[in-house]
Amino acid sequence: GESVGLHLPTLSVQEGDNSIINCAYSNSASDYFIWYKQESGKGPQFIIDIRSNMDKRQGQRVTVLLNKTVKHLSLQIAATQPGDSAVYFCAENIAGSGGSNYKLTFGKGTLLTVNP
Amino acid sequence: GAGVSQSPRYKVAKRGQDVALRCDPISGHVSLFWYQQALGQGPEFLTYFQNEAQLDKSGLPSDRFFAERPEGSVSTLKIQRTQQEDSAVYLCASSPRDRLLSPPPKTQYFGPGTRLLVL
């Protein structure tokens, strides 16, 4: 299943399935993107990042895809586990903006629920 | 190892009351950020400190919001005359990098947040 972060903020999958979480970012000048995981009662935790000169980056069980043409970002989680249940946020940044390169702009988020 | 800590974890305030939220960043981290996260939303940038200097406060929603980091470590976010719309989770993050170094901002480590409810 798929979820668009802004319009379909929930995604429910079975344990062991692959999950795809989508995000439409807003600023065409953004050149650095991060996915965060936020569990209930905790702060956001870094998952994976990607720069705009790449269209794909893989981590452990996670893959981020970037389509700059349509300003779309996705997070793929392989073999989803109950511990993956959380809200997932994409964040964008203009890394080359000199003095303001610290600013992150977060999307609304998608709630992922993994059923055992 | 100690991460970013925030206190209190929960705060209930009556409308009009002043509140102070504390952030203890990771020791030695140069940069400190405050974010506001409304229910069901992503965090929104409030302000940024590099050591004790507040370099950016463009995200503070009104002059009722004030942040300080006088000794370049612990920071306090103060909200005066709280309003119901101030109800949110306030997140603090710290980073070992200063703004002039190459990112990535992934090195922002977040605390657990303070959940503020204004009645």
Side-chain angles (χ1 to χ4, degrees), chain A residues 1 13-14 32 34 46 48 50 59 63 66 77 90 106:
Chain A
V13 302
Q14 290 298 121
Y32 179 71
I34 311 173
F46 171 85
I48 192 168
I50 188 168
T63 301
L66 175 63
I77 305 174
C90 64
F106 285 80

Side-chain angles (χ1 to χ4, degrees), chain A residues 32 34 36 38 41-46 49 51 57 89 93 95 98-109, chain B residues 9 33 35 37 40-45 48 55-56 58 91 99-106 108 110-113 115:
Chain A
Y32 179 71
I34 311 173
Y36 282 93
Q38 187 174 25
K42 298 183 178 180
Q45 177 185 5
F46 171 85
D49 59 351
R51 294 186 183 276
R57 190 168 188 215
F89 293 98
N93 170 260
S100 61
N101 62 3
Y102 50 83
K103 279 192 175 181
L104 290 175
T105 301
F106 285 80
K108 185 176 180 179
Chain B
R9 292 294 315 276
F33 308 82
Y35 292 85
Q37 186 174 23
Q41 304 293 321
E44 291 193 359
F45 171 83
Y48 165 64
L55 299 185
D56 188 338
S58 62
L91 294 164
R99 68 186 177 114
L100 297 180
L101 293 177
S102 177
K106 72 180 179 183
Q108 289 190 33
F110 284 84
R115 183 175 297 275

Side-chain angles (χ1 to χ4, degrees), chain B residues 32-103:
Chain B
L32 185 144
F33 308 82
W34 283 99
Y35 292 85
Q36 182 189 58
Q37 186 174 23
L39 187 64
Q41 304 293 321
E44 291 193 359
F45 171 83
L46 292 178
T47 188
Y48 165 64
F49 289 86
Q50 182 175 303
N51 296 308
E52 70 279 3
Q54 188 176 21
L55 299 185
D56 188 338
K57 53 182 181 179
S58 62
L60 296 177
S62 77
D63 58 7
R64 295 186 295 105
F65 287 71
F66 173 76
E68 60 183 4
R69 194 187 185 198
E71 298 179 357
S73 57
V74 172
S75 178
T76 303
L77 176 66
K78 298 179 179 178
I79 309 174
Q80 297 177 322
R81 305 180 303 281
T82 52
Q83 303 295 314
Q84 287 186 322
E85 61 263 28
D86 300 334
S87 296
V89 174
Y90 291 86
L91 294 164
C92 175
S94 70
S95 169
R97 295 178 176 273
D98 71 31
R99 68 186 177 114
L100 297 180
L101 293 177
S102 177

Side-chain angles (χ1 to χ4, degrees), chain A:
Chain A
E2 294 188 347
S3 174
V4 176
L6 292 177
H7 304 292
L8 297 172
T10 62
L11 175 63
S12 183
V13 302
Q14 290 298 121
E15 181 178 0
D17 287 352
N18 296 331
S19 302
I20 300 174
I21 301 172
N22 296 307
C23 176
Y25 65 91
S26 56
N27 192 339
S28 58
S30 294
D31 54 9
Y32 179 71
F33 305 89
I34 311 173
W35 280 100
Y36 282 93
K37 172 186 180 182
Q38 187 174 25
E39 297 174 277
S40 181
K42 298 183 178 180
Q45 177 185 5
F46 171 85
I47 301 173
I48 192 168
D49 59 351
I50 188 168
R51 294 186 183 276
S52 59
N53 61 353
M54 304 170 68
D55 53 20
K56 180 179 180 179
R57 190 168 188 215
Q58 290 184 292
Q60 186 177 11
R61 281 202 307 117
V62 295
T63 301
V64 56
L65 299 178
L66 175 63
N67 185 330
K68 296 181 288 295
T69 301
V70 295
K71 294 191 291 186
H72 184 269
L73 198 66
S74 70
L75 177 70
Q76 300 178 2
I77 305 174
T80 316
Q81 303 168 0
D84 295 326
S85 294
V87 177
Y88 290 80
F89 293 98
C90 64
E92 57 187 296
N93 170 260
I94 304 175
S97 61
S100 61
N101 62 3
Y102 50 83
K103 279 192 175 181
L104 290 175
T105 301
F106 285 80
K108 185 176 180 179
T110 297
L111 172 63
L112 175 65
T113 302
V114 182
N115 302 308

